[in-house]
Short mmCIF file of all heavy atoms in Angstrom, two decimals:
data_model
loop_
_atom_site.label_atom_id
_atom_site.label_comp_id
_atom_site.label_asym_id
_atom_site.label_seq_id
_atom_site.Cartn_x
_atom_site.Cartn_y
_atom_site.Cartn_z
N THR A 1 -15.60 -11.55 3.93
CA THR A 1 -14.28 -10.92 3.82
C THR A 1 -14.46 -9.41 3.75
O THR A 1 -15.22 -8.90 2.93
CB THR A 1 -13.54 -11.40 2.56
OG1 THR A 1 -13.38 -12.81 2.60
CG2 THR A 1 -12.16 -10.75 2.48
N LEU A 2 -13.74 -8.70 4.62
CA LEU A 2 -13.76 -7.24 4.66
C LEU A 2 -12.35 -6.72 4.43
O LEU A 2 -11.38 -7.25 4.97
CB LEU A 2 -14.28 -6.73 6.01
CG LEU A 2 -15.72 -7.10 6.38
CD1 LEU A 2 -16.05 -6.59 7.78
CD2 LEU A 2 -16.71 -6.54 5.38
N PHE A 3 -12.26 -5.65 3.63
CA PHE A 3 -10.98 -5.04 3.26
C PHE A 3 -10.96 -3.63 3.84
O PHE A 3 -11.81 -2.80 3.49
CB PHE A 3 -10.89 -5.00 1.73
CG PHE A 3 -9.56 -4.60 1.17
CD1 PHE A 3 -8.69 -5.54 0.65
CD2 PHE A 3 -9.17 -3.27 1.11
CE1 PHE A 3 -7.47 -5.18 0.09
CE2 PHE A 3 -7.96 -2.89 0.56
CZ PHE A 3 -7.10 -3.85 0.05
N PHE A 4 -9.99 -3.34 4.72
CA PHE A 4 -9.91 -2.05 5.43
C PHE A 4 -8.70 -1.26 4.95
O PHE A 4 -7.64 -1.84 4.68
CB PHE A 4 -9.79 -2.28 6.94
CG PHE A 4 -10.98 -2.92 7.59
CD1 PHE A 4 -11.18 -4.30 7.51
CD2 PHE A 4 -11.90 -2.16 8.30
CE1 PHE A 4 -12.27 -4.89 8.12
CE2 PHE A 4 -12.99 -2.74 8.91
CZ PHE A 4 -13.19 -4.12 8.82
N ASN A 5 -8.83 0.07 4.93
CA ASN A 5 -7.71 0.92 4.50
C ASN A 5 -7.76 2.28 5.17
O ASN A 5 -8.83 2.90 5.27
CB ASN A 5 -7.76 1.13 2.99
CG ASN A 5 -6.73 2.13 2.51
OD1 ASN A 5 -5.54 1.93 2.68
ND2 ASN A 5 -7.19 3.23 1.94
N ASN A 6 -6.61 2.75 5.64
CA ASN A 6 -6.38 4.15 6.00
C ASN A 6 -5.50 4.77 4.93
O ASN A 6 -4.39 4.28 4.68
CB ASN A 6 -5.65 4.28 7.34
CG ASN A 6 -6.58 4.16 8.53
OD1 ASN A 6 -7.79 4.22 8.40
ND2 ASN A 6 -6.00 3.98 9.71
N GLU A 7 -5.99 5.81 4.27
CA GLU A 7 -5.20 6.47 3.23
C GLU A 7 -4.50 7.69 3.81
O GLU A 7 -5.15 8.66 4.20
CB GLU A 7 -6.11 6.89 2.06
CG GLU A 7 -5.35 7.27 0.81
CD GLU A 7 -4.64 6.07 0.19
OE1 GLU A 7 -5.12 4.93 0.30
OE2 GLU A 7 -3.56 6.30 -0.41
N ASP A 8 -3.17 7.65 3.86
CA ASP A 8 -2.37 8.71 4.47
C ASP A 8 -1.68 9.52 3.39
O ASP A 8 -0.96 8.97 2.55
CB ASP A 8 -1.30 8.10 5.39
CG ASP A 8 -1.88 7.16 6.44
OD1 ASP A 8 -3.09 7.27 6.71
OD2 ASP A 8 -1.12 6.33 6.97
N TYR A 9 -1.88 10.83 3.44
CA TYR A 9 -1.22 11.69 2.44
C TYR A 9 -1.43 13.15 2.86
O TYR A 9 -2.13 13.44 3.83
CB TYR A 9 -1.80 11.43 1.04
CG TYR A 9 -0.98 12.02 -0.09
CD1 TYR A 9 0.40 11.83 -0.15
CD2 TYR A 9 -1.58 12.75 -1.09
CE1 TYR A 9 1.14 12.37 -1.17
CE2 TYR A 9 -0.84 13.29 -2.13
CZ TYR A 9 0.52 13.09 -2.17
OH TYR A 9 1.26 13.63 -3.18
N SER A 10 -0.82 14.06 2.10
CA SER A 10 -0.91 15.48 2.44
C SER A 10 -2.08 16.18 1.77
O SER A 10 -2.45 17.28 2.18
CB SER A 10 0.40 16.19 2.04
OG SER A 10 0.66 16.00 0.65
N ASN A 11 -2.67 15.58 0.73
CA ASN A 11 -3.73 16.22 -0.04
C ASN A 11 -5.09 15.94 0.60
O ASN A 11 -5.51 14.78 0.68
CB ASN A 11 -3.70 15.71 -1.48
CG ASN A 11 -4.72 16.40 -2.38
OD1 ASN A 11 -5.46 17.27 -1.95
ND2 ASN A 11 -4.76 16.00 -3.63
N PRO A 12 -5.84 16.97 1.01
CA PRO A 12 -7.16 16.74 1.62
C PRO A 12 -8.29 16.56 0.61
O PRO A 12 -9.41 16.23 1.01
CB PRO A 12 -7.37 18.02 2.44
CG PRO A 12 -6.67 19.08 1.66
CD PRO A 12 -5.45 18.41 1.07
N ALA A 13 -8.02 16.77 -0.67
CA ALA A 13 -9.08 16.72 -1.69
C ALA A 13 -9.27 15.27 -2.13
O ALA A 13 -8.71 14.81 -3.13
CB ALA A 13 -8.72 17.60 -2.88
N THR A 14 -10.08 14.52 -1.38
CA THR A 14 -10.28 13.09 -1.62
C THR A 14 -11.57 12.83 -2.38
O THR A 14 -12.56 13.55 -2.22
CB THR A 14 -10.30 12.34 -0.29
OG1 THR A 14 -11.33 12.89 0.55
CG2 THR A 14 -8.97 12.47 0.43
N ARG A 15 -11.56 11.76 -3.18
CA ARG A 15 -12.73 11.45 -4.01
C ARG A 15 -12.93 9.94 -4.12
O ARG A 15 -11.98 9.17 -4.00
CB ARG A 15 -12.56 12.05 -5.42
CG ARG A 15 -12.69 13.55 -5.47
CD ARG A 15 -12.42 14.08 -6.87
NE ARG A 15 -12.73 15.51 -6.95
CZ ARG A 15 -12.49 16.27 -8.01
NH1 ARG A 15 -11.95 15.73 -9.10
NH2 ARG A 15 -12.79 17.55 -8.02
N ILE A 16 -14.18 9.57 -4.41
CA ILE A 16 -14.52 8.22 -4.81
C ILE A 16 -15.26 8.32 -6.14
O ILE A 16 -16.11 9.20 -6.30
CB ILE A 16 -15.36 7.50 -3.75
CG1 ILE A 16 -15.73 6.08 -4.23
CG2 ILE A 16 -16.62 8.29 -3.38
CD1 ILE A 16 -16.37 5.22 -3.14
N TRP A 17 -14.91 7.46 -7.12
CA TRP A 17 -15.58 7.54 -8.41
C TRP A 17 -15.89 6.13 -8.92
O TRP A 17 -15.28 5.14 -8.50
CB TRP A 17 -14.78 8.33 -9.42
CG TRP A 17 -13.41 7.87 -9.79
CD1 TRP A 17 -13.05 7.14 -10.89
CD2 TRP A 17 -12.18 8.14 -9.09
NE1 TRP A 17 -11.68 6.95 -10.93
CE2 TRP A 17 -11.14 7.54 -9.84
CE3 TRP A 17 -11.87 8.83 -7.90
CZ2 TRP A 17 -9.80 7.60 -9.43
CZ3 TRP A 17 -10.55 8.89 -7.50
CH2 TRP A 17 -9.53 8.29 -8.26
N PHE A 18 -16.88 6.08 -9.80
CA PHE A 18 -17.44 4.81 -10.25
C PHE A 18 -17.37 4.70 -11.78
O PHE A 18 -17.81 5.59 -12.49
CB PHE A 18 -18.89 4.67 -9.79
CG PHE A 18 -19.04 4.68 -8.29
CD1 PHE A 18 -19.18 5.88 -7.60
CD2 PHE A 18 -19.01 3.50 -7.58
CE1 PHE A 18 -19.30 5.89 -6.22
CE2 PHE A 18 -19.12 3.50 -6.18
CZ PHE A 18 -19.26 4.70 -5.51
N GLN A 19 -16.79 3.58 -12.24
CA GLN A 19 -16.68 3.27 -13.66
C GLN A 19 -17.54 2.05 -13.96
O GLN A 19 -17.21 0.93 -13.57
CB GLN A 19 -15.22 2.97 -14.04
CG GLN A 19 -14.36 4.19 -14.22
CD GLN A 19 -14.53 4.80 -15.62
OE1 GLN A 19 -15.39 4.39 -16.38
NE2 GLN A 19 -13.71 5.77 -15.94
N PRO A 20 -18.69 2.23 -14.63
CA PRO A 20 -19.55 1.07 -14.94
C PRO A 20 -18.86 0.07 -15.87
O PRO A 20 -17.92 0.41 -16.58
CB PRO A 20 -20.77 1.71 -15.62
CG PRO A 20 -20.73 3.15 -15.22
CD PRO A 20 -19.29 3.50 -15.07
N ALA A 21 -19.39 -1.15 -15.87
CA ALA A 21 -18.86 -2.19 -16.73
C ALA A 21 -19.19 -1.91 -18.19
O ALA A 21 -20.18 -1.25 -18.51
CB ALA A 21 -19.43 -3.54 -16.32
N THR A 22 -18.34 -2.39 -19.07
CA THR A 22 -18.58 -2.40 -20.52
C THR A 22 -18.36 -3.83 -21.00
O THR A 22 -18.09 -4.73 -20.20
CB THR A 22 -17.63 -1.44 -21.25
OG1 THR A 22 -16.29 -2.00 -21.22
CG2 THR A 22 -17.61 -0.06 -20.60
N LYS A 23 -18.44 -4.04 -22.30
CA LYS A 23 -18.20 -5.38 -22.82
C LYS A 23 -16.75 -5.81 -22.62
O LYS A 23 -16.44 -7.02 -22.67
CB LYS A 23 -18.57 -5.46 -24.30
CG LYS A 23 -17.73 -4.61 -25.23
CD LYS A 23 -18.20 -4.72 -26.66
CE LYS A 23 -17.34 -3.88 -27.61
NZ LYS A 23 -15.97 -4.40 -27.70
N ASP A 24 -15.84 -4.86 -22.39
CA ASP A 24 -14.42 -5.18 -22.23
C ASP A 24 -13.91 -5.03 -20.80
O ASP A 24 -12.83 -5.53 -20.49
CB ASP A 24 -13.58 -4.27 -23.13
CG ASP A 24 -13.80 -4.53 -24.60
OD1 ASP A 24 -14.00 -5.70 -24.97
OD2 ASP A 24 -13.79 -3.57 -25.38
N TYR A 25 -14.65 -4.34 -19.93
CA TYR A 25 -14.14 -4.00 -18.61
C TYR A 25 -15.17 -4.30 -17.52
O TYR A 25 -16.37 -4.13 -17.73
CB TYR A 25 -13.76 -2.52 -18.53
CG TYR A 25 -12.80 -2.07 -19.61
CD1 TYR A 25 -13.22 -1.23 -20.63
CD2 TYR A 25 -11.47 -2.49 -19.59
CE1 TYR A 25 -12.34 -0.81 -21.62
CE2 TYR A 25 -10.59 -2.09 -20.58
CZ TYR A 25 -11.02 -1.25 -21.59
OH TYR A 25 -10.16 -0.85 -22.57
N TYR A 26 -14.69 -4.69 -16.35
CA TYR A 26 -15.55 -4.86 -15.20
C TYR A 26 -15.87 -3.52 -14.57
O TYR A 26 -15.08 -2.57 -14.66
CB TYR A 26 -14.88 -5.76 -14.15
CG TYR A 26 -14.58 -7.16 -14.61
CD1 TYR A 26 -13.47 -7.85 -14.15
CD2 TYR A 26 -15.42 -7.81 -15.52
CE1 TYR A 26 -13.19 -9.15 -14.55
CE2 TYR A 26 -15.16 -9.10 -15.94
CZ TYR A 26 -14.04 -9.77 -15.46
OH TYR A 26 -13.77 -11.05 -15.87
#
């Protein structure tokens, strides 16, 4: 299964960030 996305908006300042798992969160 592959999930594809085009993100359309006016702001060019795009980011990807990572939140590691904890005992309460994935």
Side-chain angles (χ1 to χ4, degrees):
T1 301
L2 298 177
F3 189 103
F4 295 80
N5 173 61
N6 278 347
E7 194 67 31
D8 306 340
Y9 193 49
S10 57
N11 184 0
T14 57
R15 288 176 172 174
I16 179 171
W17 60 99
F18 299 88
Q19 280 278 7
T22 71
K23 65 182 181 67
D24 294 324
Y25 306 110
Y26 298 147

